[in-house]
Amino acid sequence: MSSYPLRVAVVGAGPAGLYAAEALVKGHDDVVVDLIDRLPTPYGLVRYGVAPDHQKIKSVTRVYERTGNHERVRFLGNVEYGRDITHEELRAHYHAVIYSVGAASDRNLDIPGEQLSGSHSATEFVAWYNGHPDYVDCRFPLNATAVAVIGLGNVAVDVTRILAKSVAELELTDIADHALPALADSNVEDIYMLGRRGPAQGKFTTKELRELGELVNADIVVDPADMTLDEASTKLLEESRAASKNVEILRSFSEKPLEGKPRRVHLRFLVSPVEILGDTAVEAIVLERNRLEERDGGYLAAVGTGEREVVPAQLVLRSVGYRGVPLPGVPFDDKSGTIPHELGRVLDAPGGVPIPGAYVAGWIKRGPTGVIGTNKADAMETVGTLLEDDLPAIDPEKASPEAIDRLLEARGVRVFTFDHWRALDEVELTAGEEQGRPRVKVTTVRAMLEQAGLAP
Ligand code: NAP
């Protein structure tokens, strides 16, 4: 290791970045970390992705807080990679850089009508109701009576649940203040969760699926005919406990009588959206019936049968997965939407050679899969690799926290520190307490900076 402390920059303060920072300083007294994020607030998708009615999942921030408070970890919020600092500058000031920026975009369906007004990505809707500063001005046609949610993952379940819940349930959460009145005025009656494959291929986790059957405000509708599985899916149930549990729950949904609740959640299987209809705004979605076909390796693929139906819907939320976005100056594999790597070392191309001092962790490394905890092992692998490597030396003049502070100050960057975050956190928690809610989020960067006395 170098003669001065090993300086590591971690870009992206979501779960992967925080686990990486923790692994870097824990048991390594000679490592210091600067945790950089373009937003003033840390915790990434735990703050802006995890559903507001899933507060228990958010309690993981207590662990992150310890890392943020660590004497050898600095949080540099409101610093945007690519705008305020470049890869070359990071490389000059740190022995190593870990990119843990997540997957900021979403995948498209590439079908006609996808650009109509009222057709959105679920990630946009999630970021909006969670108060992400970039999404506060979004508008969704919540006067819709029917909504189509495409996909059978946990994000699809989250948005369905939020659309189905009553305002009395939502107002007990930390949902953004701008989302609450919009959802309170919603006319939504029917929410269609549309899966291109069968009940055994749902990507949702069992706990999240079960929750859909417990909604106070919505009945769950599953066609019993959909619960007759093909041979390959039946075999899958013997191999996968998760799939078998999910199918058991779905079967119980299909047998449950409707209770006449104000809303209905319809779970549909073996249907693919092929077109979104409407003049300027979404009016309906065209679905093609699928069958499953086994491919090499046992994957059961959805294959269209040509049989079509039209389902009226005035809001379409596609929830078919997140997608990584390229970072300036860092290699990117467009096919997978990730940074090419080997055990966390950034490679110049997929299967290529390592770029000295550059590392990657989290969704931008392995793709947008897994739960929050998955990022711990992922980040630990990267940190293990980093600590084993012979890292390039850096100019001692630049090897100090002050050098990076000077650089950012010269650019007029208003750095939001962990102390600032702690103060903002307190303000949000206190406001929440007054309203009987977990917190009331501050949702604009300007208001966050004002609170910290950093506003221009
Ligand atoms: P996901 O789990 O990958 O689910 C994506 C869904 O979209 C799948 O059902 C997939 O079907 C479907 N899909 C993909 N392309 C499609 C297309 N062209 N047409 C129709 N359907 C299509 O992704 P996600 O829901 O965005 O979740 C991302 C990760 O975050 C997951 O690991 C998830 O578990 C996690 N997460 C966890 C929680 C929680 O723990 N509570 C909450 C939110 C998210 P196929 O299977 O056929 O590809």
Side-chain angles (χ1 to χ4, degrees), residues 286-318:
V286 184
L287 303 177
E288 179 172 10
R289 183 105 201 132
N290 294 329
R291 60 183 173 79
L292 293 177
E293 196 174 277
E294 196 162 346
R295 297 278 154 85
D296 288 350
Y299 178 79
L300 293 173
V303 179
T305 61
E307 191 189 324
R308 293 189 172 193
E309 68 174 299
V310 177
V311 175
Q314 304 80 40
L315 169 61
V316 172
L317 295 171
R318 60 173 189 280

PDB file of all heavy atoms in Angstrom, residues 286-318:
ATOM      1  N   VAL A 286     -53.108  -2.920 -26.625  1.00  0.00           N
ATOM      2  CA  VAL A 286     -53.387  -4.152 -27.362  1.00  0.00           C
ATOM      3  C   VAL A 286     -52.449  -5.234 -26.838  1.00  0.00           C
ATOM      4  O   VAL A 286     -51.232  -5.038 -26.767  1.00  0.00           O
ATOM      5  CB  VAL A 286     -53.161  -3.965 -28.885  1.00  0.00           C
ATOM      6  CG1 VAL A 286     -53.551  -5.233 -29.650  1.00  0.00           C
ATOM      7  CG2 VAL A 286     -53.919  -2.752 -29.408  1.00  0.00           C
ATOM      8  N   LEU A 287     -53.051  -6.361 -26.470  1.00  0.00           N
ATOM      9  CA  LEU A 287     -52.256  -7.461 -25.926  1.00  0.00           C
ATOM     10  C   LEU A 287     -52.290  -8.648 -26.874  1.00  0.00           C
ATOM     11  O   LEU A 287     -53.323  -8.929 -27.489  1.00  0.00           O
ATOM     12  CB  LEU A 287     -52.820  -7.907 -24.574  1.00  0.00           C
ATOM     13  CG  LEU A 287     -52.933  -6.832 -23.489  1.00  0.00           C
ATOM     14  CD1 LEU A 287     -53.571  -7.421 -22.228  1.00  0.00           C
ATOM     15  CD2 LEU A 287     -51.552  -6.253 -23.155  1.00  0.00           C
ATOM     16  N   GLU A 288     -51.161  -9.320 -26.976  1.00  0.00           N
ATOM     17  CA  GLU A 288     -51.124 -10.565 -27.752  1.00  0.00           C
ATOM     18  C   GLU A 288     -50.947 -11.721 -26.783  1.00  0.00           C
ATOM     19  O   GLU A 288     -50.127 -11.654 -25.867  1.00  0.00           O
ATOM     20  CB  GLU A 288     -49.965 -10.540 -28.758  1.00  0.00           C
ATOM     21  CG  GLU A 288     -49.893 -11.843 -29.547  1.00  0.00           C
ATOM     22  CD  GLU A 288     -48.889 -11.797 -30.698  1.00  0.00           C
ATOM     23  OE1 GLU A 288     -48.113 -10.836 -30.791  1.00  0.00           O
ATOM     24  OE2 GLU A 288     -48.896 -12.763 -31.490  1.00  0.00           O
ATOM     25  N   ARG A 289     -51.729 -12.735 -26.989  1.00  0.00           N
ATOM     26  CA  ARG A 289     -51.658 -13.930 -26.133  1.00  0.00           C
ATOM     27  C   ARG A 289     -50.353 -14.668 -26.454  1.00  0.00           C
ATOM     28  O   ARG A 289     -49.945 -14.760 -27.612  1.00  0.00           O
ATOM     29  CB  ARG A 289     -52.885 -14.788 -26.447  1.00  0.00           C
ATOM     30  CG  ARG A 289     -53.036 -16.001 -25.646  1.00  0.00           C
ATOM     31  CD  ARG A 289     -54.148 -15.850 -24.587  1.00  0.00           C
ATOM     32  NE  ARG A 289     -53.886 -16.845 -23.554  1.00  0.00           N
ATOM     33  CZ  ARG A 289     -53.884 -16.584 -22.267  1.00  0.00           C
ATOM     34  NH1 ARG A 289     -54.134 -15.389 -21.824  1.00  0.00           N
ATOM     35  NH2 ARG A 289     -53.634 -17.535 -21.398  1.00  0.00           N
ATOM     36  N   ASN A 290     -49.685 -15.175 -25.433  1.00  0.00           N
ATOM     37  CA  ASN A 290     -48.428 -15.920 -25.623  1.00  0.00           C
ATOM     38  C   ASN A 290     -48.581 -17.374 -25.207  1.00  0.00           C
ATOM     39  O   ASN A 290     -49.488 -17.724 -24.454  1.00  0.00           O
ATOM     40  CB  ASN A 290     -47.321 -15.321 -24.745  1.00  0.00           C
ATOM     41  CG  ASN A 290     -46.935 -13.920 -25.159  1.00  0.00           C
ATOM     42  OD1 ASN A 290     -47.010 -13.575 -26.333  1.00  0.00           O
ATOM     43  ND2 ASN A 290     -46.536 -13.104 -24.197  1.00  0.00           N
ATOM     44  N   ARG A 291     -47.631 -18.170 -25.680  1.00  0.00           N
ATOM     45  CA  ARG A 291     -47.444 -19.501 -25.089  1.00  0.00           C
ATOM     46  C   ARG A 291     -45.972 -19.585 -24.713  1.00  0.00           C
ATOM     47  O   ARG A 291     -45.169 -18.749 -25.160  1.00  0.00           O
ATOM     48  CB  ARG A 291     -47.843 -20.603 -26.087  1.00  0.00           C
ATOM     49  CG  ARG A 291     -47.046 -20.566 -27.360  1.00  0.00           C
ATOM     50  CD  ARG A 291     -47.508 -21.608 -28.362  1.00  0.00           C
ATOM     51  NE  ARG A 291     -46.788 -21.385 -29.609  1.00  0.00           N
ATOM     52  CZ  ARG A 291     -45.543 -21.757 -29.840  1.00  0.00           C
ATOM     53  NH1 ARG A 291     -44.852 -22.394 -28.909  1.00  0.00           N
ATOM     54  NH2 ARG A 291     -44.954 -21.487 -30.990  1.00  0.00           N
ATOM     55  N   LEU A 292     -45.626 -20.573 -23.911  1.00  0.00           N
ATOM     56  CA  LEU A 292     -44.231 -20.687 -23.485  1.00  0.00           C
ATOM     57  C   LEU A 292     -43.510 -21.710 -24.344  1.00  0.00           C
ATOM     58  O   LEU A 292     -44.071 -22.751 -24.704  1.00  0.00           O
ATOM     59  CB  LEU A 292     -44.156 -21.099 -22.012  1.00  0.00           C
ATOM     60  CG  LEU A 292     -44.676 -20.066 -21.006  1.00  0.00           C
ATOM     61  CD1 LEU A 292     -44.618 -20.616 -19.594  1.00  0.00           C
ATOM     62  CD2 LEU A 292     -43.873 -18.765 -21.098  1.00  0.00           C
ATOM     63  N   GLU A 293     -42.282 -21.410 -24.681  1.00  0.00           N
ATOM     64  CA  GLU A 293     -41.481 -22.321 -25.502  1.00  0.00           C
ATOM     65  C   GLU A 293     -40.118 -22.490 -24.829  1.00  0.00           C
ATOM     66  O   GLU A 293     -39.474 -21.496 -24.487  1.00  0.00           O
ATOM     67  CB  GLU A 293     -41.318 -21.704 -26.893  1.00  0.00           C
ATOM     68  CG  GLU A 293     -40.854 -22.685 -27.934  1.00  0.00           C
ATOM     69  CD  GLU A 293     -40.857 -22.025 -29.314  1.00  0.00           C
ATOM     70  OE1 GLU A 293     -41.917 -21.965 -29.961  1.00  0.00           O
ATOM     71  OE2 GLU A 293     -39.784 -21.540 -29.717  1.00  0.00           O
ATOM     72  N   GLU A 294     -39.729 -23.752 -24.636  1.00  0.00           N
ATOM     73  CA  GLU A 294     -38.472 -24.002 -23.926  1.00  0.00           C
ATOM     74  C   GLU A 294     -37.283 -23.769 -24.856  1.00  0.00           C
ATOM     75  O   GLU A 294     -37.260 -24.249 -25.980  1.00  0.00           O
ATOM     76  CB  GLU A 294     -38.456 -25.440 -23.381  1.00  0.00           C
ATOM     77  CG  GLU A 294     -37.394 -25.625 -22.332  1.00  0.00           C
ATOM     78  CD  GLU A 294     -37.619 -26.865 -21.458  1.00  0.00           C
ATOM     79  OE1 GLU A 294     -38.735 -27.432 -21.482  1.00  0.00           O
ATOM     80  OE2 GLU A 294     -36.669 -27.227 -20.744  1.00  0.00           O
ATOM     81  N   ARG A 295     -36.309 -23.007 -24.363  1.00  0.00           N
ATOM     82  CA  ARG A 295     -35.096 -22.721 -25.130  1.00  0.00           C
ATOM     83  C   ARG A 295     -33.929 -23.493 -24.538  1.00  0.00           C
ATOM     84  O   ARG A 295     -34.037 -24.070 -23.451  1.00  0.00           O
ATOM     85  CB  ARG A 295     -34.777 -21.224 -25.070  1.00  0.00           C
ATOM     86  CG  ARG A 295     -35.833 -20.352 -25.705  1.00  0.00           C
ATOM     87  CD  ARG A 295     -35.660 -20.297 -27.226  1.00  0.00           C
ATOM     88  NE  ARG A 295     -36.931 -20.008 -27.891  1.00  0.00           N
ATOM     89  CZ  ARG A 295     -37.436 -18.796 -28.086  1.00  0.00           C
ATOM     90  NH1 ARG A 295     -36.776 -17.750 -27.672  1.00  0.00           N
ATOM     91  NH2 ARG A 295     -38.584 -18.626 -28.711  1.00  0.00           N
ATOM     92  N   ASP A 296     -32.782 -23.454 -25.235  1.00  0.00           N
ATOM     93  CA  ASP A 296     -31.566 -24.093 -24.720  1.00  0.00           C
ATOM     94  C   ASP A 296     -31.298 -23.561 -23.318  1.00  0.00           C
ATOM     95  O   ASP A 296     -31.427 -22.361 -23.088  1.00  0.00           O
ATOM     96  CB  ASP A 296     -30.369 -23.749 -25.607  1.00  0.00           C
ATOM     97  CG  ASP A 296     -30.453 -24.477 -26.933  1.00  0.00           C
ATOM     98  OD1 ASP A 296     -31.325 -25.358 -27.055  1.00  0.00           O
ATOM     99  OD2 ASP A 296     -29.664 -24.145 -27.844  1.00  0.00           O
ATOM    100  N   GLY A 297     -30.950 -24.439 -22.419  1.00  0.00           N
ATOM    101  CA  GLY A 297     -30.678 -23.998 -21.046  1.00  0.00           C
ATOM    102  C   GLY A 297     -31.931 -24.005 -20.194  1.00  0.00           C
ATOM    103  O   GLY A 297     -31.888 -23.649 -19.025  1.00  0.00           O
ATOM    104  N   GLY A 298     -33.077 -24.360 -20.798  1.00  0.00           N
ATOM    105  CA  GLY A 298     -34.310 -24.524 -20.019  1.00  0.00           C
ATOM    106  C   GLY A 298     -35.129 -23.259 -19.867  1.00  0.00           C
ATOM    107  O   GLY A 298     -36.195 -23.290 -19.254  1.00  0.00           O
ATOM    108  N   TYR A 299     -34.655 -22.110 -20.425  1.00  0.00           N
ATOM    109  CA  TYR A 299     -35.426 -20.864 -20.291  1.00  0.00           C
ATOM    110  C   TYR A 299     -36.751 -21.001 -21.034  1.00  0.00           C
ATOM    111  O   TYR A 299     -36.781 -21.463 -22.182  1.00  0.00           O
ATOM    112  CB  TYR A 299     -34.619 -19.676 -20.849  1.00  0.00           C
ATOM    113  CG  TYR A 299     -35.369 -18.366 -20.780  1.00  0.00           C
ATOM    114  CD1 TYR A 299     -35.453 -17.653 -19.593  1.00  0.00           C
ATOM    115  CD2 TYR A 299     -36.026 -17.852 -21.915  1.00  0.00           C
ATOM    116  CE1 TYR A 299     -36.154 -16.463 -19.512  1.00  0.00           C
ATOM    117  CE2 TYR A 299     -36.733 -16.663 -21.851  1.00  0.00           C
ATOM    118  CZ  TYR A 299     -36.791 -15.967 -20.644  1.00  0.00           C
ATOM    119  OH  TYR A 299     -37.494 -14.794 -20.574  1.00  0.00           O
ATOM    120  N   LEU A 300     -37.824 -20.594 -20.358  1.00  0.00           N
ATOM    121  CA  LEU A 300     -39.142 -20.665 -20.991  1.00  0.00           C
ATOM    122  C   LEU A 300     -39.481 -19.287 -21.549  1.00  0.00           C
ATOM    123  O   LEU A 300     -39.759 -18.349 -20.801  1.00  0.00           O
ATOM    124  CB  LEU A 300     -40.191 -21.112 -19.966  1.00  0.00           C
ATOM    125  CG  LEU A 300     -40.026 -22.550 -19.460  1.00  0.00           C
ATOM    126  CD1 LEU A 300     -40.987 -22.847 -18.322  1.00  0.00           C
ATOM    127  CD2 LEU A 300     -40.245 -23.554 -20.589  1.00  0.00           C
ATOM    128  N   ALA A 301     -39.437 -19.190 -22.867  1.00  0.00           N
ATOM    129  CA  ALA A 301     -39.637 -17.884 -23.516  1.00  0.00           C
ATOM    130  C   ALA A 301     -41.102 -17.705 -23.914  1.00  0.00           C
ATOM    131  O   ALA A 301     -41.801 -18.670 -24.228  1.00  0.00           O
ATOM    132  CB  ALA A 301     -38.760 -17.797 -24.754  1.00  0.00           C
ATOM    133  N   ALA A 302     -41.546 -16.432 -23.894  1.00  0.00           N
ATOM    134  CA  ALA A 302     -42.904 -16.099 -24.340  1.00  0.00           C
ATOM    135  C   ALA A 302     -42.892 -15.975 -25.864  1.00  0.00           C
ATOM    136  O   ALA A 302     -42.067 -15.262 -26.428  1.00  0.00           O
ATOM    137  CB  ALA A 302     -43.336 -14.780 -23.710  1.00  0.00           C
ATOM    138  N   VAL A 303     -43.816 -16.683 -26.498  1.00  0.00           N
ATOM    139  CA  VAL A 303     -43.911 -16.623 -27.960  1.00  0.00           C
ATOM    140  C   VAL A 303     -45.355 -16.255 -28.315  1.00  0.00           C
ATOM    141  O   VAL A 303     -46.298 -16.871 -27.805  1.00  0.00           O
ATOM    142  CB  VAL A 303     -43.554 -18.004 -28.575  1.00  0.00           C
ATOM    143  CG1 VAL A 303     -43.661 -17.971 -30.086  1.00  0.00           C
ATOM    144  CG2 VAL A 303     -42.172 -18.437 -28.137  1.00  0.00           C
ATOM    145  N   GLY A 304     -45.509 -15.240 -29.152  1.00  0.00           N
ATOM    146  CA  GLY A 304     -46.848 -14.760 -29.516  1.00  0.00           C
ATOM    147  C   GLY A 304     -47.644 -15.794 -30.300  1.00  0.00           C
ATOM    148  O   GLY A 304     -47.082 -16.531 -31.119  1.00  0.00           O
ATOM    149  N   THR A 305     -48.954 -15.839 -30.042  1.00  0.00           N
ATOM    150  CA  THR A 305     -49.807 -16.789 -30.766  1.00  0.00           C
ATOM    151  C   THR A 305     -50.600 -16.097 -31.881  1.00  0.00           C
ATOM    152  O   THR A 305     -51.275 -16.758 -32.661  1.00  0.00           O
ATOM    153  CB  THR A 305     -50.840 -17.435 -29.804  1.00  0.00           C
ATOM    154  OG1 THR A 305     -51.662 -16.376 -29.270  1.00  0.00           O
ATOM    155  CG2 THR A 305     -50.173 -18.192 -28.671  1.00  0.00           C
ATOM    156  N   GLY A 306     -50.542 -14.770 -31.909  1.00  0.00           N
ATOM    157  CA  GLY A 306     -51.308 -14.030 -32.917  1.00  0.00           C
ATOM    158  C   GLY A 306     -52.686 -13.625 -32.415  1.00  0.00           C
ATOM    159  O   GLY A 306     -53.340 -12.741 -32.979  1.00  0.00           O
ATOM    160  N   GLU A 307     -53.140 -14.245 -31.338  1.00  0.00           N
ATOM    161  CA  GLU A 307     -54.459 -13.926 -30.775  1.00  0.00           C
ATOM    162  C   GLU A 307     -54.368 -12.609 -29.995  1.00  0.00           C
ATOM    163  O   GLU A 307     -53.495 -12.470 -29.136  1.00  0.00           O
ATOM    164  CB  GLU A 307     -54.857 -15.069 -29.829  1.00  0.00           C
ATOM    165  CG  GLU A 307     -56.288 -15.040 -29.352  1.00  0.00           C
ATOM    166  CD  GLU A 307     -56.503 -16.087 -28.248  1.00  0.00           C
ATOM    167  OE1 GLU A 307     -55.899 -17.179 -28.317  1.00  0.00           O
ATOM    168  OE2 GLU A 307     -57.254 -15.778 -27.324  1.00  0.00           O
ATOM    169  N   ARG A 308     -55.243 -11.659 -30.307  1.00  0.00           N
ATOM    170  CA  ARG A 308     -55.123 -10.332 -29.680  1.00  0.00           C
ATOM    171  C   ARG A 308     -56.378  -9.920 -28.924  1.00  0.00           C
ATOM    172  O   ARG A 308     -57.472 -10.387 -29.237  1.00  0.00           O
ATOM    173  CB  ARG A 308     -54.812  -9.282 -30.755  1.00  0.00           C
ATOM    174  CG  ARG A 308     -53.438  -9.512 -31.340  1.00  0.00           C
ATOM    175  CD  ARG A 308     -52.991  -8.395 -32.227  1.00  0.00           C
ATOM    176  NE  ARG A 308     -51.591  -8.614 -32.574  1.00  0.00           N
ATOM    177  CZ  ARG A 308     -50.810  -7.722 -33.134  1.00  0.00           C
ATOM    178  NH1 ARG A 308     -51.280  -6.530 -33.438  1.00  0.00           N
ATOM    179  NH2 ARG A 308     -49.548  -7.998 -33.402  1.00  0.00           N
ATOM    180  N   GLU A 309     -56.200  -9.011 -27.985  1.00  0.00           N
ATOM    181  CA  GLU A 309     -57.347  -8.408 -27.287  1.00  0.00           C
ATOM    182  C   GLU A 309     -56.988  -6.956 -26.977  1.00  0.00           C
ATOM    183  O   GLU A 309     -55.809  -6.593 -26.913  1.00  0.00           O
ATOM    184  CB  GLU A 309     -57.686  -9.164 -25.999  1.00  0.00           C
ATOM    185  CG  GLU A 309     -56.645  -9.030 -24.922  1.00  0.00           C
ATOM    186  CD  GLU A 309     -57.043  -9.666 -23.587  1.00  0.00           C
ATOM    187  OE1 GLU A 309     -58.058  -9.231 -23.009  1.00  0.00           O
ATOM    188  OE2 GLU A 309     -56.311 -10.557 -23.120  1.00  0.00           O
ATOM    189  N   VAL A 310     -58.011  -6.148 -26.785  1.00  0.00           N
ATOM    190  CA  VAL A 310     -57.787  -4.736 -26.462  1.00  0.00           C
ATOM    191  C   VAL A 310     -58.298  -4.479 -25.044  1.00  0.00           C
ATOM    192  O   VAL A 310     -59.438  -4.825 -24.726  1.00  0.00           O
ATOM    193  CB  VAL A 310     -58.526  -3.820 -27.473  1.00  0.00           C
ATOM    194  CG1 VAL A 310     -58.358  -2.352 -27.085  1.00  0.00           C
ATOM    195  CG2 VAL A 310     -57.991  -4.056 -28.884  1.00  0.00           C
ATOM    196  N   VAL A 311     -57.418  -3.930 -24.210  1.00  0.00           N
ATOM    197  CA  VAL A 311     -57.816  -3.615 -22.831  1.00  0.00           C
ATOM    198  C   VAL A 311     -57.813  -2.088 -22.671  1.00  0.00           C
ATOM    199  O   VAL A 311     -56.775  -1.454 -22.855  1.00  0.00           O
ATOM    200  CB  VAL A 311     -56.834  -4.262 -21.818  1.00  0.00           C
ATOM    201  CG1 VAL A 311     -57.171  -3.842 -20.387  1.00  0.00           C
ATOM    202  CG2 VAL A 311     -56.841  -5.770 -21.951  1.00  0.00           C
ATOM    203  N   PRO A 312     -58.957  -1.503 -22.358  1.00  0.00           N
ATOM    204  CA  PRO A 312     -58.979  -0.046 -22.161  1.00  0.00           C
ATOM    205  C   PRO A 312     -58.107   0.339 -20.967  1.00  0.00           C
ATOM    206  O   PRO A 312     -58.128  -0.337 -19.934  1.00  0.00           O
ATOM    207  CB  PRO A 312     -60.455   0.265 -21.863  1.00  0.00           C
ATOM    208  CG  PRO A 312     -61.214  -0.957 -22.274  1.00  0.00           C
ATOM    209  CD  PRO A 312     -60.278  -2.113 -22.147  1.00  0.00           C
ATOM    210  N   ALA A 313     -57.320   1.386 -21.113  1.00  0.00           N
ATOM    211  CA  ALA A 313     -56.472   1.898 -20.020  1.00  0.00           C
ATOM    212  C   ALA A 313     -56.068   3.309 -20.408  1.00  0.00           C
ATOM    213  O   ALA A 313     -55.784   3.570 -21.575  1.00  0.00           O
ATOM    214  CB  ALA A 313     -55.240   1.035 -19.827  1.00  0.00           C
ATOM    215  N   GLN A 314     -56.062   4.218 -19.458  1.00  0.00           N
ATOM    216  CA  GLN A 314     -55.700   5.610 -19.767  1.00  0.00           C
ATOM    217  C   GLN A 314     -54.329   5.977 -19.203  1.00  0.00           C
ATOM    218  O   GLN A 314     -53.827   7.066 -19.416  1.00  0.00           O
ATOM    219  CB  GLN A 314     -56.771   6.562 -19.234  1.00  0.00           C
ATOM    220  CG  GLN A 314     -58.181   6.288 -19.746  1.00  0.00           C
ATOM    221  CD  GLN A 314     -58.873   5.149 -19.001  1.00  0.00           C
ATOM    222  OE1 GLN A 314     -58.753   5.025 -17.784  1.00  0.00           O
ATOM    223  NE2 GLN A 314     -59.576   4.287 -19.725  1.00  0.00           N
ATOM    224  N   LEU A 315     -53.762   5.047 -18.460  1.00  0.00           N
ATOM    225  CA  LEU A 315     -52.392   5.236 -17.951  1.00  0.00           C
ATOM    226  C   LEU A 315     -51.669   3.902 -18.118  1.00  0.00           C
ATOM    227  O   LEU A 315     -52.205   2.852 -17.754  1.00  0.00           O
ATOM    228  CB  LEU A 315     -52.437   5.648 -16.465  1.00  0.00           C
ATOM    229  CG  LEU A 315     -51.126   5.652 -15.675  1.00  0.00           C
ATOM    230  CD1 LEU A 315     -50.109   6.628 -16.259  1.00  0.00           C
ATOM    231  CD2 LEU A 315     -51.361   6.012 -14.194  1.00  0.00           C
ATOM    232  N   VAL A 316     -50.486   3.972 -18.735  1.00  0.00           N
ATOM    233  CA  VAL A 316     -49.666   2.763 -18.887  1.00  0.00           C
ATOM    234  C   VAL A 316     -48.344   2.997 -18.162  1.00  0.00           C
ATOM    235  O   VAL A 316     -47.681   4.017 -18.377  1.00  0.00           O
ATOM    236  CB  VAL A 316     -49.396   2.453 -20.386  1.00  0.00           C
ATOM    237  CG1 VAL A 316     -48.386   1.323 -20.531  1.00  0.00           C
ATOM    238  CG2 VAL A 316     -50.685   2.099 -21.102  1.00  0.00           C
ATOM    239  N   LEU A 317     -48.000   2.088 -17.278  1.00  0.00           N
ATOM    240  CA  LEU A 317     -46.718   2.176 -16.577  1.00  0.00           C
ATOM    241  C   LEU A 317     -45.901   0.947 -16.953  1.00  0.00           C
ATOM    242  O   LEU A 317     -46.261  -0.182 -16.600  1.00  0.00           O
ATOM    243  CB  LEU A 317     -46.938   2.219 -15.061  1.00  0.00           C
ATOM    244  CG  LEU A 317     -47.670   3.457 -14.520  1.00  0.00           C
ATOM    245  CD1 LEU A 317     -48.008   3.280 -13.044  1.00  0.00           C
ATOM    246  CD2 LEU A 317     -46.827   4.716 -14.722  1.00  0.00           C
ATOM    247  N   ARG A 318     -44.824   1.169 -17.708  1.00  0.00           N
ATOM    248  CA  ARG A 318     -44.023  -0.008 -18.062  1.00  0.00           C
ATOM    249  C   ARG A 318     -43.001  -0.252 -16.957  1.00  0.00           C
ATOM    250  O   ARG A 318     -42.279   0.652 -16.547  1.00  0.00           O
ATOM    251  CB  ARG A 318     -43.379   0.133 -19.434  1.00  0.00           C
ATOM    252  CG  ARG A 318     -42.469   1.275 -19.600  1.00  0.00           C
ATOM    253  CD  ARG A 318     -41.721   1.282 -20.908  1.00  0.00           C
ATOM    254  NE  ARG A 318     -40.733   2.330 -20.832  1.00  0.00           N
ATOM    255  CZ  ARG A 318     -40.992   3.603 -21.025  1.00  0.00           C
ATOM    256  NH1 ARG A 318     -42.200   4.001 -21.366  1.00  0.00           N
ATOM    257  NH2 ARG A 318     -40.024   4.492 -20.884  1.00  0.00           N
TER     258      ARG A 318
END
